[in-house]
């Protein structure tokens, strides 16, 4: 068989496969359009009932969990979830385009978390500080906000926790974002670099890599990774540690990828809003507690959780800011406030706690 005939046979096979792909594309597009029409029908019913809550976190979590259960490859679970998230985002935008406030500027990991949660068919609003995100949502100027709350390497973000003490907002969802840091710059090589800029947490998360690879280069802490990328775009002597979004936004070269010291480096973000989220079947509840001033107070405070077999997944203490040496506790537990066991535990907690605030029940992060 000649080389030409072999090539011709391969071309024929490829053309046949492409015809099958084209036929599938027609079906997929038609089914997406039908899904959008059904979403609009749901919106019309809600409008007649006087409801404007088009976005339901528990419903989206349920859909994504079913997507992952059905997935048999070859696409990864993350890729499949991202595709369906974008379909849901586009369908929701036909009903009402969401306005999402986030800790900016543009190009931060918080923006990536917002887009992972809500898809790209939303308007994202960058704000300069966490308290500004809270105020934007409280005023009704944004439907929801996204703020960081803890990192698996560097721990909790105290400012976010402190905001819940006075804010009426609730936690409506959470996003777990795997953080990959890249070394970015405008030049063609690293020879002219005189400093590395990034947020202080990112510098800490890449400390070992920087020690080994750029030991003599000054490290500069700035307000955000996006700000570091902006500085690097303006000065070839400045390198930035930032993510994919910042690299694309500021047109930077990637000199090294995934330079974080821990490959499982993950940041947890909270979705804040005014919505009471219904049970999704796999939920988490966040509480704000303070104990009475007496011996064994913390043990007494947490006893109702153990008594009702409620799993506590996290506890953090913060100064109450009411009087010296008084503390409040931020607690996460498995389950939804409407679950029988959780409801019983909360009723018992109210009797024991000096203060109890329900910050919200919401679906656990799907991925």
């Amino acid at each position: 068989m000649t080389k030409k005939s072999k090539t011709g046979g391969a071309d024929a096979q490829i053309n046949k496969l492409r015809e099958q792909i084209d036929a599938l594309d027609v079906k997929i597009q038609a089914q997406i359009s039908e899904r959008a029409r059904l979403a609009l029908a749901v919106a019309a019913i809600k409008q007649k009932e006087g409801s404007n809550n088009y976005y339901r976190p528990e419903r989206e979590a349920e859909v994504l969990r079913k997507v992952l259960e059905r997935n048999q490859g070859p696409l990864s679970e993350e890729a499949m979830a991202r595709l369906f998230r974008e379909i849901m985002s586009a369908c929701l935008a036909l009903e009402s385009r969401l306005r999402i406030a986030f800790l900016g500027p543009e190009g931060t990991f918080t923006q990536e978390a917002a887009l992972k949660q809500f898809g790209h068919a939303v308007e994202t609003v960058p704000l300069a500080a966490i308290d500004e995100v809270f105020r934007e949502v409280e005023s009704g100027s944004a439907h929801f906000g996204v703020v960081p709350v803890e990192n698996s390497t560097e721990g909790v973000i105290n400012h976010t926790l402190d905001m819940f003490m006075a804010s009426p907002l609730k936690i409506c969802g959470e996003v777990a974002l795997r953080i990959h840091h890249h070394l970015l710059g405008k030049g063609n090589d690293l020879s002219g670099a005189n400093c590395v800029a990034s947020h202080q947490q990112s510098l800490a998360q890449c400390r070992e890599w920087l020690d080994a690879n750029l030991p003599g280069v000054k490290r500069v802490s700035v307000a955000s990774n996006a700000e570091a990328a902006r500085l690097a775009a303006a000065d070839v002597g400045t390198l930035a540690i930032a993510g994919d979004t910042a690299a694309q936004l500021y047109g930077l070269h990637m000199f090294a990828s995934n330079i974080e010291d821990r490959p499982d480096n993950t940041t947890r973000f909270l979705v804040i809003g005014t919505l009471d989220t219904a049970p999704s079947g796999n939920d988490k509840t966040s509480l704000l507690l303070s104990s009475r001033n007496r011996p064994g107070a913390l043990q007494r405070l947490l006893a109702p959780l153990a008594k009702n077999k409620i799993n506590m997944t996290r506890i953090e203490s913060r100064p109450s800011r009411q009087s010296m040496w008084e503390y409040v506790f931020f607690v996460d537990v498995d389950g939804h406030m409407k679950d029988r066991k959780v409801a019983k535990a909360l009723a018992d907690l109210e009797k024991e706690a000096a203060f109890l605030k329900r910050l919200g029940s919401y679906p656990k992060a799907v991925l």
Side-chain angles (χ1 to χ4, degrees):
M1 186 180 290
T2 65
K3 183 176 180 181
K4 183 176 181 180
S5 63
K6 286 182 179 179
T7 303
D11 288 343
Q13 288 179 321
I14 290 172
N15 288 334
K16 186 175 181 180
L17 291 171
R18 285 174 175 167
E19 288 174 2
Q20 294 177 33
I21 289 172
D22 290 343
L24 278 174
D25 285 345
V26 172
K27 294 179 181 178
I28 291 170
Q29 185 174 353
Q31 290 176 338
I32 291 174
S33 297
E34 179 60 20
R35 190 191 194 283
R37 282 189 285 271
L38 292 173
L40 285 174
V42 170
I45 294 171
K46 288 183 177 180
Q47 286 177 342
K48 287 182 181 179
E49 294 177 343
S51 172
N52 60 357
N53 288 332
Y54 300 115
Y55 176 70
R56 302 301 305 185
E58 73 281 1
R59 170 60 180 162
E60 293 210 355
E62 180 186 5
V63 170
L64 289 176
R65 287 176 195 142
K66 289 179 179 177
V67 167
L68 299 185
E69 288 172 4
R70 293 192 301 262
N71 187 39
Q72 297 180 351
L75 291 180
S76 68
E77 290 188 344
E78 185 176 357
M80 191 64 76
R82 186 167 59 248
L83 286 171
F84 272 81
R85 172 69 75 191
E86 292 300 337
I87 291 171
M88 290 188 287
S89 179
C91 290
L92 180 61
L94 294 174
E95 307 169 31
S96 175
R97 191 177 184 215
L98 295 180
R99 195 167 191 265
I100 311 299
F102 70 94
L103 179 62
E106 289 193 358
T108 60
F109 287 114
T110 311
Q111 185 178 29
E112 287 189 31
L115 295 174
K116 179 180 178 181
Q117 178 72 9
F118 293 98
H120 286 71
V122 297
E123 179 187 357
T124 54
V125 183
L127 295 169
I130 288 172
D131 58 316
E132 290 184 25
V133 177
F134 274 78
R135 285 197 294 271
E136 190 81 355
V137 181
E138 288 174 15
S139 69
S141 298
H143 296 93
F144 297 95
V146 177
V147 290
V149 68
E150 62 179 326
N151 176 264
S152 60
T153 302
E154 296 301 307
V156 72
I157 290 87
N158 290 325
H159 194 183
T160 296
L161 297 183
D162 291 344
M163 287 302 301
F164 284 110
M165 293 186 197
S167 175
L169 295 181
K170 301 164 186 174
I171 303 174
C172 307
E174 66 172 0
V175 189
L177 187 69
R178 186 64 61 86
I179 302 298
H180 293 302
H181 293 304
H182 311 310
L183 186 69
L184 310 174
K186 200 68 177 177
N188 295 321
D189 55 52
L190 301 177
S191 59
N194 53 50
C195 75
V196 179
S198 195
H199 188 274
Q200 60 182 4
Q201 284 216 349
S202 299
L203 290 172
Q205 291 163 20
C206 302
R207 186 182 298 112
E208 293 178 13
W209 191 94
L210 292 172
D211 288 345
N213 294 276
L214 296 171
V217 179
K218 180 174 68 173
R219 300 169 198 178
V220 178
S221 175
V222 295
S224 69
N225 293 351
E227 172 63 11
R230 186 190 68 79
L231 294 173
D235 177 17
V236 294
T238 299
L239 301 174
I241 295 175
D244 293 318
T245 301
Q248 295 167 11
L249 185 64
Y250 293 97
L252 299 174
H253 303 304
M254 190 178 297
F255 293 117
S257 61
N258 299 353
I259 66 171
E260 61 275 4
D261 297 331
R262 294 183 61 89
D264 59 348
N265 183 30
T266 301
T267 296
R268 179 184 175 218
F269 300 83
L270 297 179
V271 179
I272 55 174
T274 59
L275 186 68
D276 285 315
T277 305
S280 73
N282 188 18
D283 301 295
K284 182 182 291 185
T285 295
S286 293
L287 308 168
L288 182 59
L289 303 167
S290 66
S291 59
R292 304 183 192 280
N293 189 11
R294 58 184 179 182
L298 182 57
Q299 183 180 4
R300 289 171 178 265
L301 185 65
L302 300 179
L305 300 178
K307 176 185 172 184
N308 290 280
K309 294 182 172 55
I310 302 299
N311 183 38
M312 182 176 66
T313 58
R314 175 172 156 282
I315 182 169
E316 298 283 346
S317 65
R318 293 291 297 150
S320 69
R321 300 189 175 184
Q322 300 300 315
S323 60
M324 192 177 296
W325 313 124
E326 283 191 358
Y327 291 84
V328 294
F329 299 94
F330 291 85
V331 174
D332 288 342
V333 300
D334 284 340
H336 193 282
M337 284 185 280
K338 292 185 177 180
D339 296 345
R340 182 183 58 80
K341 288 199 305 181
V342 177
K344 178 63 169 61
L346 292 179
D348 293 344
L349 270 173
E350 283 187 332
K351 299 173 186 175
E352 182 61 40
F355 172 75
L356 167 62
K357 183 176 183 181
R358 295 168 170 83
L359 299 179
S361 293
Y362 47 93
K364 291 182 181 180
V366 176
L367 276 178

